[in-house]
Amino acid sequence: MIRKVKGTRDILPPESRLWGVVEAEARRIFEGFGYDEIRLPVMEPTELFVRTVGEGTDIVSKEMYTFADRKGRSLTLRPEGTAGVARAFIENGLGQRPQPMRLSYMGPMFRYEKMQRGRYRQFSQIGIELLGASTPQADVEVLLALHTFLNALGFEDLVIVLNNLGDPEDRERFVEGLKNELLPDQERLCGDCRRRWTENPLRILDCKVPICRELVAHTTPVADVVSDEAKAHVDAVAEGLSALEIPVRLAPRLVRGLDYYLRTVFEVISPALGEDTVICGGGRYDRLISDLGGKAVPGIGFAIGEDRLIDVLPDSFKHRVLDVPVVAVLPLGHEATASALALTVQLIEGGLRAPAEVSGRSLKAGLKWANKMGAAVALILGPSEIAEQMVLVRDLREGTQETVAQDTVVEKVRDLLGRGKTE
Ligand code: ATP
Ligand code: MG
């Protein structure tokens, strides 16, 4: 037997329905805020990620799926979405369009990581990017869009944590101070962090090894070492969020796993998954597009880990999506199948989920099939019903049945399901 690649997942029904509805909600909310979807390749030139995500990051140094194509070009399966958006922005001249440019994306990302709950080698992200605005108000909008989306899914226990990374110029000063403070304990850092010490010291701050955490906990927070402008920016973001009653927690030591962020950075934490398995990460990246050779176009965005989001969906949402009533359409004999399928279409147009029996089952076996599927109602269609344009409606929960005219069946079924006509 051939098995799936380690770290990939088969998402089966009915769970796949949750994915579909989450994505539809994301489109509804983000489109409402003015974000249109950009659909990008899943493979890009390797150099794109090396130059944007950063050479010293975990993603680039050990997590990328990089391979040579048949002509020897180095390609990489995208590990994240922002780099591709920036590339496409420059390549397609999106800076010529009305600014700011609001873009959303969703789809698979690839990282060679150690597998565990919420950590896969192929996973999906849903993200938005606001390009061409550098104001704190732009950050507020992006965080409001995030908050509105999570609210629409019924989340009540997620926490947005916010920090100020300062500008790249502040960072040099900060990193120097950090190294000074950690110097006496340098030998106690994990192997990865000793490597980071020279390659990318900021990354030491998001190491998950307990001893590194402990050592880092006593250092000066990055938010304390930022310029006045950067401070004013993130303070204004926090104020804007509070005016909209969006609760955020300040996390002065939060850094993110990608090099391009500056000033505003944030994450969404769920109590169920804990601080090491965050639901969403994002921030401002005003130098990214110019670093890639484009104009100086500022940007801010986030990426939600859809796998993790779905893992912790509230019961109310799961109930709404998964407990949709099913109507079984049961033809008696092959001659009745065409009418049964026509009836199915009528029910679908009426907003119902109404699969027809097409395996040639007897009425008894058909009712068994309906019960197994958890159908609430069965519609039975034999030669006499067809001749009279009627259908037998059987309430499988009550065990009652009644014959109704075919053109009133949608209404009848809706009544039985207790959903009313107007819904
Ligand atoms: P982590 O610290 O958990 O490794 P990250 O900082 O590497 O996350 P980002 O690059 O910011 O993550 O990606 C944004 C979101 O994508 C994360 O918050 C997470 O929800 C999701 N994500 C990242 N890597 C994975 C993965 N391997 N499997 C599932 N989801 C992931
Ligand atoms: Mg990671």
Side-chain angles (χ1 to χ4, degrees):
M1 191 174 66
I2 298 175
R3 293 178 178 280
K4 62 180 172 301
V5 172
K6 190 172 170 189
T8 65
R9 303 206 289 158
D10 300 324
I11 294 158
L12 307 176
E15 197 205 327
S16 54
R17 268 196 233 165
L18 296 172
W19 288 70
V21 179
V22 161
E23 288 164 12
E25 280 295 273
R27 288 202 168 86
R28 182 177 74 83
I29 303 287
F30 298 145
E31 279 173 14
F33 277 94
Y35 291 79
D36 267 319
E37 190 175 8
I38 182 165
R39 300 172 71 110
L40 297 174
V42 295
M43 50 184 180
E44 297 276 3
T46 301
E47 193 196 349
L48 175 66
F49 303 110
V50 175
R51 279 183 46 193
T52 57
V53 174
E55 211 142 11
T57 61
D58 280 358
I59 294 179
V60 170
S61 65
K62 51 187 190 193
E63 295 174 358
M64 293 207 302
Y65 278 91
T66 296
F67 59 96
D69 75 1
R70 285 170 185 277
K71 286 270 166 67
R73 288 173 279 245
S74 181
L75 305 183
T76 293
L77 298 183
R78 63 180 183 190
E80 58 103 49
T82 306
V85 172
R87 190 232 358 105
F89 185 91
I90 300 169
E91 189 168 346
N92 297 289
L94 297 184
Q96 308 297 318
R97 302 195 187 188
Q99 303 289 304
M101 190 87 218
R102 292 180 168 92
L103 299 168
S104 72
Y105 64 86
M106 54 180 73
M109 307 293 162
F110 304 84
R111 295 184 194 179
Y112 198 92
E113 294 198 69
K114 216 166 134 226
M115 256 189 67
Q116 46 185 281
R117 182 180 178 191
R119 201 171 288 283
Y120 309 101
R121 292 182 176 175
Q122 175 176 338
F123 59 100
S124 286
Q125 288 185 339
I126 300 175
I128 67 173
E129 314 285 358
L130 176 62
L131 295 148
S134 60
T135 60
Q137 288 69 40
D139 305 29
V140 172
E141 178 195 293
V142 165
L143 281 154
L144 175 64
L146 173 61
H147 176 77
T148 306
F149 171 59
L150 297 174
N151 257 3
L153 302 182
F155 280 108
E156 285 171 356
D157 58 351
L158 299 183
V159 184
I160 299 178
V161 294
L162 179 72
N163 195 21
N164 190 347
L165 272 191
D167 291 317
E169 298 74 30
D170 306 329
R171 190 113 12 112
E172 281 165 34
R173 208 154 27 91
F174 168 71
V175 163
E176 212 174 293
L178 177 72
K179 280 175 127 179
N180 271 333
E181 288 177 345
L182 285 175
L183 197 56
D185 296 308
Q186 192 185 359
E187 294 308 310
R188 295 174 64 203
L189 292 168
C190 76
D192 273 342
C193 282
R194 269 176 278 150
R195 181 177 52 79
R196 290 172 183 134
W197 186 271
T198 41
E199 284 175 14
N200 197 342
L202 194 69
R203 294 274 74 77
I204 296 172
L205 291 181
D206 61 0
C207 182
K208 279 150 195 160
V209 175
I211 177 69
C212 300
R213 288 229 154 147
E214 201 185 300
L215 294 174
V216 153
H218 306 290
T219 58
T220 307
V222 59
D224 287 7
V225 193
V226 305
S227 69
D228 291 346
E229 295 81 35
K231 182 169 186 332
H233 181 100
V234 179
D235 287 352
V237 175
E239 258 167 53
L241 293 172
S242 121
L244 287 161
E245 291 178 23
I246 300 172
V248 290
R249 192 194 292 160
L250 298 180
R253 285 193 180 79
L254 171 71
V255 298
R256 310 255 328 103
L258 305 93
D259 279 351
Y260 50 64
Y261 288 121
L262 49 79
R263 297 196 175 183
T264 314
V265 287
F266 53 91
E267 288 183 341
V268 176
I269 292 169
S270 88
L273 289 176
E275 311 220 342
D276 288 347
T277 315
V278 305
I279 301 288
C280 168
R284 177 161 279 289
Y285 48 83
D286 293 351
R287 315 276 171 98
L288 175 61
I289 294 196
S290 55
D291 283 351
L292 269 181
K295 296 221 173 79
V297 178
I300 176 159
F302 61 75
I304 297 168
E306 194 176 358
D307 305 71
R308 295 181 187 177
L309 184 77
I310 285 180
D311 190 15
V312 299
L313 279 173
D315 288 337
S316 58
F317 181 88
K318 287 198 251 186
H319 169 73
R320 169 157 73 85
V321 174
L322 296 178
D323 300 344
V324 176
V326 177
V327 179
V329 182
L330 306 178
L332 300 182
H334 287 307
E335 299 73 43
T337 302
S339 304
L341 288 171
L343 194 63
T344 279
V345 173
Q346 194 185 325
L347 292 155
I348 295 167
E349 301 293 353
L352 294 162
R353 180 182 284 255
E357 207 298 307
V358 293
S359 311
R361 288 185 169 96
S362 67
L363 178 59
K364 194 171 158 214
L367 285 168
K368 221 170 155 183
W369 169 71
N371 275 318
K372 247 191 177 158
M373 280 196 302
V377 174
L379 303 181
I380 300 161
L381 214 60
S384 59
E385 282 84 10
I386 292 171
E388 292 164 31
Q389 303 213 358
M390 304 290 277
V391 56
L392 183 64
V393 179
R394 187 178 170 103
D395 186 329
L396 296 172
R397 298 164 302 190
E398 302 289 326
T400 54
Q401 61 185 36
E402 141 183 28
T403 305
V404 306
Q406 280 180 17
D407 56 6
T408 64
V409 71
V410 169
E411 216 171 301
K412 177 71 200 171
V413 170
R414 283 178 159 276
D415 269 358
L416 280 180
L417 297 176
R419 295 168 65 184
K421 265 185 259 177
T422 49
E423 205 188 315

